[in-house]
Amino acid sequence: QSVLTQPPSVSEAPRQRVTISCSGSSSNIGNNAVNWYQQLPGKAPKLLIYYDDLLPSGVSDRFSGSKSGTSASLAISGLQSEDEADYYCAAWDDRLNGWVFGGGTKLTVL
Amino acid sequence: QLQLQESGPGLVKPSETLSLTCTVSGGSISSSGYYWGWIRQPPGKGLEWIGTIYYSGSTDYNPSLKSRVTISVDTSKNQFSLKLSSVTAADTAVYYCARDPYKSSGRALDYWGQGTLVTVSS
């Protein structure tokens, strides 16, 4: 049971837009920055979005992040087959005094 | 370019202690404002934070693992290490080390090692 809640899977057609939600509480998302990670099969997680909505250098601007209250979202526009991966949200939790993650969302590009 | 590399045995027997080291290159582990963490991922499952250390030696541990975990740092070697005692099959996972910058804007695990699979089996 993950502290942050994500849908287990999402799917959409190429060139379309998809969003992945991440729900938490006041001790994590509500009070701290949300980060998003992309994990390709057999690879380490890669930072995709940090501090709610910032893109690291080299990350495509097809990816965007947003946050409202205790929930956050990752949006991917212009879907490509290479976007098929697992996506995780993460935030520091003040009650746990540590990192908490979502359970991950598997994106399938139809 | 900062790089992190995990190393250690890939097979550990039940009830024994798992020991891993993360070697940091391309940057100093003693830089102010940077924490260093361990995260694991059981096969086919999600990510679980294990713990975090600052170069001063200050640590934070996941309460669910705290009784079995020790994280330490060796600034002279630019390394930090993980020890997990009394392991069971449930500790079988890919173990990652990562950098955790602490800034006024927030925190993010930004650089990750490639991960190392540790299997607990007799």
Side-chain angles (χ1 to χ4, degrees):
Chain A
Q1 188 85 0
S2 301
V3 174
L4 305 181
T5 301
Q6 298 180 236
S9 64
V10 295
S11 59
E12 187 51 89
R15 297 180 297 281
Q16 299 305 305
R17 183 177 184 271
V18 70
T19 61
I20 298 172
S21 62
C22 176
S23 178
S25 68
S26 58
S27 65
N28 42 66
I29 293 178
N31 200 41
N32 295 297
V34 176
N35 308 306
W36 289 91
Y37 298 88
Q38 178 191 59
Q39 187 176 35
L40 297 170
K43 300 293 187 181
K46 169 191 170 184
L47 183 63
L48 202 62
I49 298 285
Y50 68 103
Y51 299 174
D52 301 337
D53 58 9
L54 300 182
L55 267 67
S57 175
V59 172
S60 170
D61 60 4
R62 296 187 298 105
F63 296 93
S64 62
S66 63
K67 186 175 83 173
S68 178
T70 58
S71 294
S73 290
L74 169 71
I76 312 172
S77 60
L79 276 172
Q80 302 175 2
S81 58
E82 66 212 51
D83 298 329
E84 281 204 341
D86 293 324
Y87 292 85
Y88 292 90
C89 58
W92 185 263
D93 190 292
D94 295 328
R95 195 178 307 152
L96 174 70
N97 208 35
W99 288 100
V100 291
F101 293 92
T105 299
K106 183 175 183 62
L107 169 63
T108 300
V109 181
L110 300 170
Chain B
Q1 175 77 349
L2 188 77
Q3 292 187 326
L4 293 86
Q5 178 69 57
E6 305 89 350
S7 59
L11 181 63
V12 181
K13 290 182 168 56
S15 80
E16 295 191 345
T17 297
L18 177 160
S19 296
L20 295 174
T21 295
C22 181
T23 300
V24 179
S25 58
S28 173
I29 203 169
S30 302
S31 296
S32 177
Y34 292 95
Y35 291 77
W36 305 89
W38 288 98
I39 303 96
R40 70 180 183 178
Q41 185 174 34
K45 296 188 177 182
L47 300 166
E48 179 182 32
W49 172 72
I50 299 171
T52 297
I53 191 165
Y54 196 57
Y55 75 90
S56 63
S58 171
T59 54
D60 290 307
Y61 297 137
N62 189 323
S64 68
L65 299 170
K66 188 173 184 176
S67 64
R68 300 193 290 131
V69 172
T70 302
I71 297 177
S72 58
V73 63
D74 186 335
T75 55
S76 67
K77 294 182 179 179
N78 227 32
Q79 296 176 335
F80 62 107
S81 299
L82 168 70
K83 290 188 185 300
L84 181 66
S85 64
S86 304
V87 297
T88 69
D91 296 309
T92 293
V94 175
Y95 286 75
Y96 297 100
C97 58
R99 189 181 77 164
D100 178 1
Y102 184 97
K103 301 184 179 180
S104 57
S105 314
R107 296 176 74 153
L109 296 159
D110 58 357
Y111 285 90
W112 295 59
Q114 66 185 25
T116 187
L117 175 62
V118 178
T119 302
V120 178
S121 175
S122 56

